[in-house]
Amino acid sequence: MQQLTPEGCRARREALIASADADLLIINNPRHIFYLTGLFSTQLLLSAWGPLALLIDTASGHSKLLAHDAIQSQAEAAFVDDLVVWDWYVSGRAA
């Protein structure tokens, strides 16, 4: 698998910002998230419940990835400014 670079991901986000007429971009397609952050999710991980989202503030270029804890280790390697991980499943805690 080809590896994406932090510089390339940032350049793609900057190009997207330049073409957008919005204050905030919300990306939730895993393919686009991969292209913009380098976060690769296998089909097994994608089948785990819970959406991914990439938020991009077009004024500052700040990027924030929202991901569930089932893919935390992969999300921590993504090329973003901030990462927010939410609990998908916590053993021993009532639903």
Side-chain angles (χ1 to χ4, degrees):
M1 179 180 82
Q2 183 177 1
Q3 296 294 317
L4 301 181
T5 65
E7 298 81 11
C9 290
R10 181 169 298 284
R12 285 185 286 280
R13 290 194 303 269
E14 289 172 356
L16 179 61
I17 289 168
S19 68
D21 182 22
D23 296 325
L24 178 69
L25 301 175
I26 303 172
I27 296 98
N28 66 354
N29 183 308
R31 290 180 190 162
H32 300 306
I33 291 174
F34 169 66
Y35 187 64
L36 296 167
T37 70
L39 171 64
F40 178 73
S41 297
T42 65
Q43 288 191 2
L44 179 60
L45 288 174
L46 288 175
S47 68
W49 182 85
L52 297 172
L54 174 63
L55 309 177
I56 302 173
D57 179 337
T58 59
S60 67
H62 188 86
S63 60
K64 182 181 289 188
L65 180 63
L66 309 176
H68 52 84
D69 61 350
I71 65 164
Q72 183 170 353
S73 62
Q74 290 84 353
E76 288 172 348
F79 307 125
V80 292
D81 298 314
D82 283 320
L83 171 64
V84 176
V85 177
W86 54 274
D87 291 338
W88 169 63
Y89 176 79
V90 178
S91 178
R93 185 173 75 189

